[in-house]
Amino acid sequence: MDVAEARRGSPSSLMSIASIVVSMTAVAIGNGMMLAYVPFVLTRSEAPDWVPGAAVTAIAFGGLVGCVIAGPLIRRVGHARAFSCSMALVILAALIISLGVHPLLWVFARCLYGAAGNTNFIISQSWLNHASENHWRGKAMALFYMAYVIGLGAGAWLFGQIPAEGNLAPIITIFFTTMAILPIGLTRLPTPPAPAKVSIDIAMAWRNSPVAFVGVLAAGGLSMVVQGFTPIYAAANDVSQKDVAALMFVMQFGLMFIQYPMGALSDRIDRRIVLIATCTLIVAAGIAALSVSFANLILLMLVFALFAGAVETVYSIANAHANDRADPSDFVPLASTMLVAWSTAATIVPMLVTMLTPVLGQRTFIYAAMAVALLYAAFVFFRLGSRERVPPQLCESFELKSAQVPNAGALIEAEIQAE
C-alpha cells in the first residue's frame, strides 16, 4: 500500500489522531513534573551552584543530538519502534534520577531526556502531519500543542502535591511515560514515511528571511532560559515546593493568553512589527519580574505567565514569517535548519547564563532574556526598511506553536505534499 492509499484508508477526523495526542500528553505530564522537580531539588541540595543551570543546558544539548539521530533511527526501525526506544530513554533518565541526588548523573540524565524529547517531537509531529488531511491539519497541530502545554502545566501542578524528598516524582514520571507507550503501541494509524534528512543550509535560511532565522535563534535561547531557570530562581529564594509548582503551572497558560491575540494581529499587519511589540512585552515583563518580590507571589505568577507567553510568541510568529517567504523547494532544508538553530541557541544561551550566574546572581536569566529580546527587536527594526512585507493574500494563517515543542514535524510535510 502506498502513502496516498494509506492516508485515504485512515479515519478523517481529529479522533483518528487521539492516540498520538494522548501519548504525548502523558509524556508532557512526566516532563512537566521533572522540569519542576530537578531544579528544585538540585537548588536545595548541596550540589555546586552551577549544577542546576548545567541540567537546563544539558536538556538543550541532548535535543541537538536528538535532531541528528532521530531521522536515521526512524528510517532504520520505523516510527512505532523508534517511539518505544525514545520512551525507554525517558524512563532510563527518570530511573537514574530516582537513585538519589548525584549531580553529574542528573545532568547526564537530563541530556538523555533532551535527546529522547526531540526524537519524540519528530516522531509525533511527522505522524500527525501524515495522518491528518489538509483541511484540518492546522486544527490537529493546534490540538497537539495545546494538549502538550497543558500536560506540562499539569505535571508541574502534580509536583506540588507530592513530597519532594525521596524518589516519588521520578517514579510517577516513569508511570506516565510507560502509559504513553500503550496508545502508540495499539494504534492502527498507518506508519508514515521516514522524515526527510536533516540538511543544514544556513545561507538559504538567511536568504529566505533573516528576521525569521534570527527569531528562531532568539526563541531557542529565550524559551530554555525562562522555562528552565524560573524554578531555580524561585527555589533559591526559599519559595515553597507548592508555590514553585503553582508558578510553573501558571506559566504554561501564558502561551494561550498572549500568543493567540499576538498571532491573530500578525495575520493582519506586518509580522515584524508584531515581533518588535512582543520583544517589548518581554522586556516589560522582565522589568516587572525584577521589581515584584516573592512576597507578592500571585502578582509575580502573573508576571512570569506574561513573560513565558511572550517568549513562546516570538517562536511561533518567527516560524510563520519564515513560511510566508519560503519557496516550496526549500521547505525541508529550511525546517531542518530552523530546528538545529533552535536547539543550538537553546544550548548556548543557558550555558552562558550558568557561567554568569555566580557573578551576577540568580536574576541573571532575567537580564539575559531582556538582552536577547532587546537585541532581536533592534535587529527586526533595522530589517523593516530593507524588505517589503509579504502581501497578506500570500501569507499563511498563524498557527499555535510552542518553543518547548520545536517544529520537527515539518521535515515530513514536503513528502506529503508531493504525493
Side-chain angles (χ1 to χ4, degrees):
M1 180 183 293
D2 63 21
V3 174
E5 289 173 348
R7 284 173 59 78
R8 283 194 296 270
S10 61
S12 298
S13 72
L14 287 174
M15 287 303 296
S16 67
I17 61 167
S19 58
I20 301 171
V21 175
V22 169
S23 285
M24 289 303 291
T25 302
V27 170
I29 293 172
N31 185 21
M33 178 172 289
M34 297 304 279
L35 283 173
Y37 172 77
V38 171
F40 182 85
V41 172
L42 285 177
T43 304
R44 296 291 179 88
S45 72
E46 297 179 357
D49 292 342
W50 57 267
V51 172
V56 175
T57 306
I59 298 174
F61 178 74
L64 184 58
V65 174
C67 294
V68 177
I69 67 172
L73 176 64
I74 296 169
R75 279 188 285 273
R76 181 177 178 83
V77 302
H79 282 68
R81 291 189 181 95
F83 187 86
S84 297
C85 291
S86 63
M87 290 296 99
L89 291 180
V90 174
I91 292 171
L92 180 59
L95 178 64
I96 291 172
I97 290 173
S98 73
L99 298 177
V101 182
H102 303 283
L104 293 181
L105 277 179
W106 279 34
V107 171
F108 170 74
R110 299 309 281 160
C111 182
L112 202 61
Y113 168 77
N118 259 17
T119 301
N120 294 340
F121 296 148
I122 291 174
I123 292 168
S124 58
Q125 290 178 56
S126 64
W127 214 333
L128 280 173
N129 278 334
H130 177 260
S132 55
E133 297 179 358
N134 289 337
H135 65 280
W136 56 272
R137 184 173 296 132
K139 292 181 181 178
M141 295 305 296
L143 174 65
F144 169 75
Y145 282 115
M146 187 177 298
Y148 191 88
V149 169
I150 291 174
L152 286 175
W157 175 85
L158 190 59
F159 167 66
Q161 313 310 308
I162 62 173
E165 298 77 17
N167 60 2
L168 186 56
I171 288 174
I172 293 176
T173 297
I174 290 172
F175 168 78
F176 278 107
T177 307
T178 304
M179 295 300 294
I181 299 173
L182 299 179
I184 290 294
L186 297 173
T187 186
R188 298 178 63 186
L189 282 175
T191 302
K197 182 180 179 182
V198 174
S199 54
I200 312 303
D201 192 341
I202 295 175
M204 179 277 301
W206 180 266
R207 286 195 305 271
N208 175 70
S209 173
V211 166
F213 179 69
V214 177
V216 169
L217 282 170
L222 286 167
S223 179
M224 288 304 296
V225 162
V226 173
Q227 296 288 347
F229 283 86
T230 296
I232 299 173
Y233 176 56
N237 282 272
D238 295 323
V239 176
S240 70
Q241 177 190 344
K242 284 193 174 183
D243 287 339
V244 170
L247 173 61
M248 296 296 290
F249 174 74
V250 170
M251 282 175 63
Q252 306 312 319
F253 290 91
L255 170 71
M256 301 174 198
F257 292 111
I258 303 300
Q259 189 173 146
Y260 270 122
M262 298 301 281
L265 182 63
S266 76
D267 282 339
R268 296 175 176 272
I269 65 174
D270 194 326
R271 296 199 201 275
R272 295 171 295 182
I273 295 175
V274 181
L275 282 168
I276 293 173
T278 304
C279 288
T280 304
L281 196 58
I282 292 172
V283 174
I287 293 172
L290 293 171
S291 304
V292 180
S293 72
F294 281 96
N296 197 346
L297 191 60
I298 299 299
L299 178 58
L300 195 65
M301 286 181 181
L302 295 176
V303 167
F304 272 96
L306 179 68
F307 206 4
V311 163
E312 301 294 317
T313 301
V314 170
Y315 178 78
S316 56
I317 296 179
N319 263 287
H321 190 63
N323 292 337
D324 290 344
R325 297 188 181 277
D327 187 277
S329 63
D330 290 333
F331 192 84
V332 171
L334 177 63
S336 298
T337 304
M338 292 297 199
L339 178 61
V340 173
W342 181 92
S343 298
T344 302
T347 302
I348 293 174
V349 178
M351 182 173 62
L352 293 174
V353 170
T354 301
M355 294 169 61
L356 291 172
T357 296
V359 178
L360 301 178
Q362 292 295 335
R363 292 180 167 186
T364 301
F365 80 101
I366 301 176
Y367 300 133
M370 293 169 62
V372 170
L374 281 172
L375 289 172
Y376 181 52
F379 177 78
V380 177
F381 182 79
F382 173 76
R383 293 291 307 177
L384 273 175
S386 62
R387 204 170 184 182
E388 292 294 326
R389 177 195 178 191
V390 176
Q393 64 272 19
L394 299 180
C395 292
E396 294 188 3
S397 296
F398 172 85
E399 293 181 1
L400 176 72
K401 292 186 185 294
S402 169
Q404 298 175 79
V405 190
N407 187 20
L411 302 183
I412 194 106
E413 199 162 306
E415 294 186 22
I416 294 172
Q417 294 172 350
E419 293 296 331

